[in-house]
Amino acid sequence: MDSPLLDSRQLRAFTVLAREGSFTQAGRSLHLTQSAISHAIRALEEDLGCMLFHRQGKRVLLTHHGRELLRHAEEIQRQMALARASLGALDQNPRGQIRIGSTPAASQFILPTVLREFKDSFPLYSISVVPGETPDTLQRLEEGVLDLAVCLRPRDVARVDCRPLFEDELIFLASPLHPWAQQHPKTKDLAGETYIISSRNSSTFEMIGEYFLKLGVRPKSFIELGNTEAIKELVKLGLGVAMVAAWTAPAEIKSGELVSLPLVRSRIKRQWVVAHMKQKPVSLAEQTFMTLCEQVGEQLAR
C-alpha cells in the first residue's frame, strides 16, 4: 500500500508550532483556530504513525521523531517556495472557479461561514452553489458538473473520497403544546402523526423510511418542505412533528418555542462529509474549502 502524501498545510502548521512551542501562538501566526492547528498535527501524526510533540501543559516540545521531521519539513517548504517563485505562483489574487453542491441544511448552516472565510483567501474566485439533496448532488459530482459536494455520506463510496465533517442524530421536534411534549410517545402513537420532512428524494427520508419499517409503523401522512425554517414554523403551528437534527433549531429549543424528543426504540445517525471524485486532482482552493468545512463541522459537533 502506498504511503499517504504529506500535506503541505499540515507541514506548515507543524513547523510554526515547533517554532512557537504553543498552539495559541501558532494559531495567531497562521490566523487559524487552536482546534484547526491541533487537527492538522493530529492528522500528520496519524499519517506518519508517530508522536511529533510532547504536551507539557500549554507548551509543546518536539520528540525525537519531531526533530527529524522538522529538518525535512523546513527543506520541503524551502523547495516549495522556490518552485512557486519560478512558476509565478506567488500571485496574491489567484483566479478560478469552484462549483459546490450542497444539501438545503448544509447551505443554510454550513456554507455561510465557509464561504465568508473562503472569500477572504480567494477574493477573485467565482463560486457557484448548486442546491440539491444528497443523491442528486452526488450524481452531479460524478457527472463532472460539481467540484465538491457537502452532503451526507453515501453508502457506496467506490468513486468518491469523503472527508468526514461531523456526525449527528435525528430527533422529534414538536410544539410545546403537542401531546408528545407532555408524555413521550410510544410505538403505538407513531402511526397517527403527521411528519414534516425536507424532501422525499433525500437520503434522510430514506433513513426515516427504514426507521418506521423496522418498527412496523406506517405513518398517516407527510408534509414535504425544502426549507428548514419553514419546517420549524409549521411545527410551531402544531401541524405536525419534524424529524431533524437538533443543531438546526438550537435557539428555538433553548427558548422553549420547540421541544426536542428522542426517537422511539431506535436511533437515526448521519455522517456529514465533503466529497470529491477520487481520480480528480484537488486544487489549493478546493483543499482550503474542505478544511474550512471541517472547522465548521467541529463547531456543529460541539
Side-chain angles (χ1 to χ4, degrees):
M1 182 180 295
D2 293 337
S3 299
L5 296 176
L6 291 176
D7 186 309
S8 61
R9 293 166 299 124
Q10 293 173 357
L11 286 179
R12 175 63 175 159
F14 166 76
T15 55
V16 173
L17 181 59
R19 182 184 71 232
E20 300 289 353
S22 161
F23 282 97
T24 301
Q25 293 300 326
R28 289 173 181 168
S29 297
L30 293 172
H31 304 289
L32 295 172
T33 64
Q34 293 183 47
S35 64
I37 300 293
S38 178
H39 178 82
I41 299 303
R42 184 167 61 249
L44 185 59
E45 290 177 331
E46 289 174 357
D47 284 347
L48 296 175
C50 62
M51 295 294 294
L52 300 174
F53 293 96
H54 294 299
R55 277 72 169 177
Q56 296 183 352
K58 295 183 178 181
R59 304 291 297 175
V60 293
L61 298 173
L62 286 168
T63 64
H64 171 73
H65 292 98
R67 290 192 295 272
E68 180 65 16
L69 177 62
L70 181 61
R71 182 170 62 86
H72 294 289
E74 290 176 338
E75 177 60 18
I76 289 171
Q77 291 183 355
R78 188 180 70 83
Q79 292 295 332
M80 287 176 65
L82 290 173
R84 288 194 185 100
S86 65
L87 294 172
L90 289 177
D91 181 6
Q92 296 300 307
N93 295 305
R95 299 172 184 269
Q97 179 185 27
I98 186 167
R99 303 166 300 173
I100 309 299
S102 174
T103 67
S107 296
Q108 183 176 350
F109 296 97
I110 298 176
L111 288 193
T113 300
V114 171
L115 294 180
R116 184 184 68 242
E117 298 294 332
F118 181 85
K119 265 298 187 182
D120 287 343
S121 299
F122 298 90
L124 298 183
Y125 250 69
S126 172
I127 303 170
S128 60
V129 177
V130 181
E133 297 294 350
T134 293
D136 295 334
T137 296
L138 289 171
Q139 182 178 343
R140 293 187 185 109
L141 185 69
E142 293 187 4
E143 291 171 350
V145 178
L146 301 174
D147 300 308
L148 299 171
V150 184
C151 58
L152 295 178
R153 187 181 190 276
R155 291 173 178 173
D156 181 5
V157 293
R159 298 184 61 192
V160 295
D161 271 331
C162 294
R163 184 178 295 192
L165 300 182
F166 65 101
E167 185 179 78
D168 67 8
E169 181 176 336
L170 296 190
I171 58 168
F172 290 132
L173 197 63
S175 162
L177 301 178
H178 193 285
W180 290 5
Q182 310 304 320
Q183 184 174 1
H184 189 66
K186 297 180 173 56
T187 305
K188 63 181 178 64
D189 302 318
L190 300 180
E193 186 55 62
T194 295
Y195 298 94
I196 307 173
I197 60 168
S198 174
S199 169
R200 292 178 184 268
N201 296 325
S202 67
S203 296
T204 298
F205 184 73
E206 183 180 354
M207 296 176 186
I208 290 172
E210 292 173 352
Y211 165 78
F212 284 124
L213 184 63
K214 180 179 178 181
L215 296 183
V217 171
R218 179 175 293 180
K220 179 182 70 174
S221 64
F222 290 95
I223 296 177
E224 184 177 354
L225 286 172
N227 181 278
T228 303
E229 294 304 316
I231 289 174
K232 291 187 288 188
E233 289 304 313
L234 290 194
V235 173
K236 290 176 186 178
L237 294 173
L239 297 183
V241 171
M243 297 181 71
V244 297
W247 57 267
T248 64
E252 292 86 352
I253 293 173
K254 184 177 180 179
S255 69
E257 290 181 275
L258 294 172
V259 176
S260 65
L261 302 164
L263 301 190
V264 176
R265 288 180 52 190
S266 187
R267 305 167 77 180
I268 302 177
K269 290 190 174 183
R270 307 181 300 179
Q271 176 69 63
W272 288 87
V273 302
V274 56
H276 63 87
M277 297 304 296
K278 284 185 175 179
Q279 304 304 321
K280 180 180 179 294
V282 179
S283 68
L284 175 61
E286 292 165 358
Q287 288 281 8
T288 302
F289 181 90
M290 290 190 285
T291 298
L292 292 170
C293 285
E294 288 179 325
Q295 294 174 8
V296 174
E298 290 177 359
Q299 296 171 8
L300 291 175
R302 290 196 293 268

